[in-house]
């Protein structure tokens, strides 16, 4: 009996925001699933920031996070300016030179793994590998997964074997940027296997001490004009109506403590959660999600058919994500506490609108995007990198 040869799949992401990492982890999770005959592939996931100098890491990740939190308008300007910047401009050449100097250790790690294919969930490794392919330092196919409902030109590089797009519109923009249509696949944005099957609401609610019969709102982020999580939660709980509230504080211990104090003032109405690996089970309890419009989080909401109120999107990719969700009728937008209160009241008073949004969200969701991406990479019969 011939032993099945497993392809070696290398996933490259960048920890500038959580979405790029989560997309890579989702594809890796499907690759490692055992179908009874072994896993689909041998997969390894690397964060490019683990292979750069501390100074470069601080500039690339810490600066980005500070910029979007403290000066979102400046980030929006840079997002649009870099999209329109000439590829051969002096600033672009300088940026690429600095990136190459700071990622030599990554290239050595790639060579050691000997991948049959590489999937990039961030534009930085795609750009670096485009140069490696051009100089014949790399022979395996490189694929690119765009992780937003938009396409920035920094994602577009020569010699990529294929691109995965969130929507038909993103695919259209890819073709407009010169990517051949046969290399573009509309798969959605990869999310974890847990989202491929909707958890049972009653069981999940009971496990968390919630009433599955009551309308439930899930709050996944404050700030950016809305206020701190406990402030937003207190404002929501003061609204009329018989609903319960789940608030995710993540790794913010101070926010979690404040929320737990608030929960004591509203017995049976507020569930405060810190960092959790059961987000899909908490989402299964909810009728409405209030969230920042990141590509991964909103894809998870769509997979479970959850209407959204998106709050204060960061200019740039989040703004484009919000535009898409609003156009599709699956979300409303709140830019401050007053509009958030109005939107929540509106949906609580009009459950038929909430239900219509839910149906549209389910229709848009692509819960098996990561599985589809992996299948396309594994089934691709064209050996070697495609050159332009």
């Amino acid at each position: 009996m011939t032993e099945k040869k497993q392809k070696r799949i290398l996933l490259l992401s960048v920890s500038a925001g959580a979405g790029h990492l989560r997309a890579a982890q989702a594809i890796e999770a499907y690759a490692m699933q055992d179908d009874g005959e072994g896993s689909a592939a041998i997969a390894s996931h690397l964060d490019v920031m683990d292979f750069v100098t501390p100074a470069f890491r601080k500039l690339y990740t810490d600066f980005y996070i500070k910029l979007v939190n403290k000066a979102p308008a400046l980030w929006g300007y840079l997002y649009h300016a870099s999209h329109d910047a000439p590829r051969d401009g002096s600033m672009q050449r300088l940026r690429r030179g600095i990136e190459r100097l700071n990622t030599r250790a990554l290239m050595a790690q790639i060579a050691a793994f000997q991948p049959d294919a590489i999937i990039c969930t961030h534009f930085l490794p795609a750009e670096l590998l485009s140069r490696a392919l051009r100089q014949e330092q790399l022979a395996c196919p490189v694929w690119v997964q765009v992780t937003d409902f938009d396409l920035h030109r920094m994602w577009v590089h020569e010699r990529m074997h294929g691109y995965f797009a969130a929507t038909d519109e993103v695919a259209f923009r890819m073709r407009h940027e010169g990517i051949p249509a046969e290399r573009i696949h509309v798969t959605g944005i990869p999310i974890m296997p847990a989202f491929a099957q909707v958890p049972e609401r009653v069981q999940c609610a009971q496990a968390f001490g919630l009433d599955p019969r009551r309308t439930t709102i899930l709050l996944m982020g404050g700030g950016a004009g809305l206020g701190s999580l406990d402030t937003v939660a207190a404002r929501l709980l003061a609204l009329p109506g018989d609903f319960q509230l789940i608030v995710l504080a993540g790794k913010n211990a101070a926010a979690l403590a404040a929320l737990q104090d608030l929960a004591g003032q509203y017995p049976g109405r507020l569930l405060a959660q810190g960092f959790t690996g059961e987000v899909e089970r908490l989402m299964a309890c909810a009728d409405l999600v209030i969230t920042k419009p990141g590509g991964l989080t909103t894809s998870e909401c769509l997979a479970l058919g959850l209407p959204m109120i998106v709050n204060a999107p960061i200019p740039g990719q989040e703004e484009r994500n919000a535009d898409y969700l609003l156009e599709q009728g699956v979300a409303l937008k709140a830019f401050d506490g007053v509009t958030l209160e109005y939107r929540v009241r509106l949906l609580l008073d009009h459950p038929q609108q909430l239900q219509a949004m839910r149906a549209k969200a389910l229709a848009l969701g692509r819960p098996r995007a990561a599985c589809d991406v992996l299948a396309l990479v594994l089934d691709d019969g064209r050996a070697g990198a495609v050159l332009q």
Side-chain angles (χ1 to χ4, degrees):
M1 184 176 178
T2 304
E3 186 176 342
K4 180 176 69 173
K5 185 181 184 301
Q6 292 176 302
K7 281 192 176 181
R8 300 175 66 83
I9 306 298
L10 183 61
L11 295 138
L12 299 179
S13 62
V14 171
S15 52
H20 306 291
L21 290 175
R22 285 160 56 199
Q25 289 166 350
I27 301 169
E28 182 185 30
Y30 273 103
M32 301 302 289
Q33 283 186 341
D34 193 331
D35 63 0
E37 298 182 2
S39 58
I42 299 170
S44 179
H45 169 218
L46 301 178
D47 177 0
V48 173
M49 291 298 103
D50 289 338
F51 300 91
V52 300
T53 63
F56 184 82
R57 185 185 307 115
K58 189 172 184 63
L59 176 67
Y60 209 93
T61 58
D62 294 359
F63 178 70
Y64 165 77
I65 292 168
K66 287 179 180 177
L67 198 61
V68 297
N69 287 331
K70 304 294 185 183
L74 177 57
W75 166 253
Y77 168 78
L78 293 173
Y79 181 88
H80 296 294
S82 57
H83 177 80
D84 297 330
R87 290 186 182 276
D88 295 328
S90 57
M91 289 303 295
Q92 293 296 319
R93 291 200 302 272
L94 175 62
R95 176 184 61 78
R96 288 194 290 268
I98 293 171
E99 289 171 350
R100 287 195 299 272
L101 288 173
N102 279 277
T103 50
R104 288 174 176 169
L106 172 67
M107 298 307 297
Q109 188 70 23
I110 292 172
F113 183 72
Q114 297 184 324
D116 293 304
I118 297 174
I119 306 173
C120 301
T121 62
H122 189 279
F123 50 79
L124 173 59
E127 184 171 46
L128 294 169
L129 297 185
S130 173
R131 180 176 182 272
L133 288 166
R134 184 171 67 250
Q135 296 185 346
E136 298 185 350
Q137 297 172 343
L138 184 70
C140 73
V142 178
W143 303 74
V144 179
Q145 171 68 62
V146 177
T147 55
D148 287 295
F149 298 102
D150 183 35
L151 179 70
H152 192 286
R153 280 178 60 186
M154 289 184 74
W155 286 94
V156 181
H157 301 289
E158 295 180 342
R159 296 171 171 79
M160 297 295 99
H161 195 73
Y163 276 79
F164 301 112
T167 66
D168 290 330
E169 182 177 352
V170 174
F172 180 85
R173 293 180 66 86
M174 287 177 176
R175 294 192 294 273
H176 178 75
E177 292 294 338
I179 300 172
E182 63 272 16
R183 299 190 200 167
I184 300 169
H185 308 274
V186 181
T187 56
I189 297 173
I191 55 178
M192 294 297 284
F195 290 91
Q197 189 168 14
V198 180
E200 210 280 319
R201 177 183 175 117
V202 173
Q203 291 180 357
C204 291
Q206 290 175 345
F208 289 108
L210 298 167
D211 184 348
R213 298 165 297 179
R214 293 172 76 185
T215 300
T216 304
I217 300 171
L218 173 60
L219 172 62
M220 298 183 70
L226 294 188
S228 61
L229 280 172
D230 59 308
T231 301
V232 177
R235 184 166 197 152
L236 293 173
L237 289 167
L239 295 177
D242 181 28
F243 66 89
Q244 54 198 355
L245 180 66
I246 306 168
V247 186
L248 301 187
K251 297 180 180 179
N252 188 332
L256 180 60
L259 287 164
Q260 288 171 338
D261 287 342
L262 182 64
Q265 303 172 35
Y266 293 89
R269 292 198 63 201
L270 172 60
L271 172 65
Q273 285 279 306
F275 181 78
T276 175
E278 296 185 296
V279 173
E280 74 283 354
R281 290 174 59 79
L282 288 163
M283 283 186 172
C285 303
D287 300 285
L288 172 66
V289 175
I290 301 167
T291 181
K292 296 288 287 178
L296 269 289
T297 298
T298 54
S299 293
E300 291 167 354
C301 290
L302 293 175
L304 297 185
L306 278 173
M308 289 164 267
I309 296 178
V310 294
N311 67 62
I314 298 165
Q317 70 272 32
E318 283 196 358
E319 203 168 50
R320 298 289 178 84
N321 291 342
D323 288 344
Y324 170 75
L325 297 169
L326 268 62
E327 288 166 3
Q328 299 299 320
V330 298
L332 302 179
K333 179 181 174 182
F335 53 86
D336 61 15
V338 177
T339 53
L340 175 63
E341 180 179 338
Y342 177 81
R343 306 297 187 204
V344 172
R345 283 176 176 262
L346 176 71
L347 293 176
L348 291 178
D349 291 342
H350 297 85
Q352 70 280 8
Q353 182 175 349
L354 198 60
Q355 189 59 37
M357 292 170 69
R358 181 177 184 83
K360 291 177 181 178
L362 277 171
L364 280 182
R366 290 180 176 266
R368 293 181 60 82
C371 183
D372 293 341
V373 167
L374 181 66
L376 285 162
V377 173
L378 293 178
D379 293 343
D380 183 62
R382 294 165 291 176
V386 175
L387 304 182
Q388 293 188 149

